[in-house]
């Protein structure tokens, strides 16, 4: 996704317009409950999740960004690369204004779940804090979180609205690199960018959206679901059966702020594609 190109993240234009059109077509054709439409994604998908929430906030009840970046935090390839590394970018009030100015929507604003690995050297953890700040100000929430929860080594912060509803939550996954957090004892299989950390983002995001009950977070119900045979097309392997688990991606060392003097655009775009932040 071109999550940083103004022509692709502005309402009525480019990729966000195309995705909004697909959602509208599906909602109309299948008579979907428009109060239960959600968006989520990882990396470029996490950044595009924020773009969809920013450009079309009236469509979504909630969203979940995993290793994403704030809406409209970059406007070109060099800026995108800088923001990925945690360098520069507008502050909280300016970021919130970018969402306010993206449409004539006056609220209510979508709720948001934010997930970030503390050892992610592809998308710097500071981006998660920036996403929270962008939407916290839109919701008019206090600066300090309403609650803090320790989940083993991991941390969850929650900002609640005046009705006591969880409006924003932020998960920091200790020691995790760039990927989606899994608890493979409950759900899913480890793979590149699908990382075993002992916490299932899939189940917890679904619970935050309100589409599964609290009980669905328990091991018993998930094991019952896993006991059902999967269709053959649902199984994907990178290695031949019996050769062991897939190797996990190596964590990258922290990068210094990139310099763009004389850098060819294609080189930067290739780097973004390799990181999964551009198609």
């Amino acid at each position: 996704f071109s999550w940083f190109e103004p022509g692709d993240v502005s309402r009525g234009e480019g990729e966000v317009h195309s995705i909004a059109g697909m959602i509208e077509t599906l909602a109309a054709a299948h008579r979907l409950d428009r109060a239960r439409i959600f968006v989520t994604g990882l990396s470029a998908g996490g950044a595009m999740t924020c773009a969809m929430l920013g450009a079309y906030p009236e469509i979504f009840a909630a969203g979940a960004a995993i290793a994403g970046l704030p809406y409209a935090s970059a406007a070109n390839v060099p800026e995108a690369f800088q923001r990925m590394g945690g360098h520069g970018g507008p502050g909280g009030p300016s970021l919130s204004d970018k969402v306010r100015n993206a449409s004539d929507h006056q609220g209510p604003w979508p709720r948001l779940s934010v997930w970030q690995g503390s050892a992610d050297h592809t998308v710097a953890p500071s981006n998660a804090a920036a996403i929270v700040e962008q939407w916290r100000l839109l919701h008019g929430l206090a600066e300090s979180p309403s609650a803090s929860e320790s989940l083993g080594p991991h941390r969850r912060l929650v900002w609640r609205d005046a009705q006591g509803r969880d409006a924003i939550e932020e998960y920091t996954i200790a020691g995790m690199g760039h990927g989606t957090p899994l608890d493979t004892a409950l759900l899913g299989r480890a793979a590149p960018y699908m990382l075993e950390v002992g916490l299932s983002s899939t189940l917890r995001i679904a619970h935050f959206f309100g589409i599964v009950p609290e009980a669905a977070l328990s091991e018993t119900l998930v094991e019952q679901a896993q006991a059902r045979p999967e269709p053959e097309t649902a199984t994907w392997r990178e290695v031949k059966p019996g050769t062991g688990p897939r190797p996990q991606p190596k964590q990258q060392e922290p990068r210094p702020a990139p310099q763009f003097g004389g850098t060819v655009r294609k080189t930067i775009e290739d780097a973004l594609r390799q990181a999964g932040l551009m198609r």
Side-chain angles (χ1 to χ4, degrees):
F1 297 105
S2 298
W3 53 270
F4 48 85
E5 293 284 358
D8 277 313
V9 300
S10 297
R11 188 181 179 95
E13 299 182 38
E15 291 181 349
V16 292
H17 181 60
S18 176
I19 295 170
M22 292 183 232
I23 294 171
E24 174 58 32
T25 298
L26 283 170
H30 298 282
R31 300 180 181 179
L32 301 183
D33 182 352
R34 293 177 182 268
R36 290 164 62 85
I37 296 176
F38 310 96
V39 59
T40 185
L42 162 69
S43 196
M48 186 54 76
T49 290
C50 293
M52 292 305 302
L53 295 174
Y56 292 93
E58 77 281 3
I59 291 179
F60 304 101
I66 305 173
L69 297 98
Y71 174 62
S73 57
N76 53 54
V77 171
E79 287 185 2
F81 217 45
Q82 290 273 359
R83 303 301 175 265
M84 287 167 55
H87 307 292
S94 178
L95 281 173
S96 294
D97 286 343
K98 288 180 181 297
V99 177
R100 290 191 183 95
N101 296 333
S103 71
D104 58 5
H105 184 69
Q106 299 299 312
W109 300 99
R111 299 185 305 121
L112 185 61
S113 180
V114 180
W115 293 72
Q116 179 68 48
S118 67
D120 189 336
H121 302 311
T122 299
V123 174
S126 59
N127 285 290
I131 295 171
V132 169
E133 188 70 358
Q134 184 173 57
W135 289 88
R136 180 187 70 78
L137 294 172
L138 287 166
H139 281 275
L141 304 175
E143 182 176 357
S144 298
S146 307
S148 176
E149 180 182 9
S150 293
L151 302 162
H154 315 307
R155 183 189 66 175
R156 176 180 181 253
L157 301 178
V158 184
W159 286 259
R160 297 191 175 110
D161 60 20
Q163 290 72 44
R165 182 182 63 164
D166 293 357
I168 299 174
E169 64 176 9
E170 178 188 12
Y171 283 85
T172 302
I173 308 302
M176 189 183 79
H178 190 63
T180 296
L182 299 180
D183 183 350
T184 55
L186 299 181
L187 190 67
R189 298 185 180 94
Y193 304 107
M194 299 290 162
L195 308 180
E196 166 59 44
V197 299
L199 199 69
S200 175
S201 59
T202 302
L203 287 176
R204 288 180 173 271
I205 289 170
H207 175 62
F208 180 78
F209 287 172
I211 57 179
V212 300
E214 181 80 26
L217 302 181
S218 72
E219 184 172 354
T220 302
L221 289 183
V222 177
E223 284 182 338
Q224 290 174 359
Q226 286 190 318
R228 295 192 297 267
E230 295 181 353
E232 190 64 30
T233 55
T235 301
W236 172 74
R237 294 184 174 87
E238 288 188 320
V239 296
K240 294 181 180 179
T243 59
R246 304 182 188 94
Q248 296 300 300
K250 295 181 179 179
Q251 294 183 359
Q252 302 175 16
E253 293 299 319
R255 296 191 310 265
Q259 304 298 317
F260 293 102
T263 301
V264 179
R265 179 187 179 98
K266 182 179 182 301
T267 301
I268 302 173
E269 290 182 343
D270 287 344
L272 288 170
R273 290 188 183 96
Q274 186 176 9
L277 282 150
M278 184 177 179
R279 294 194 304 177

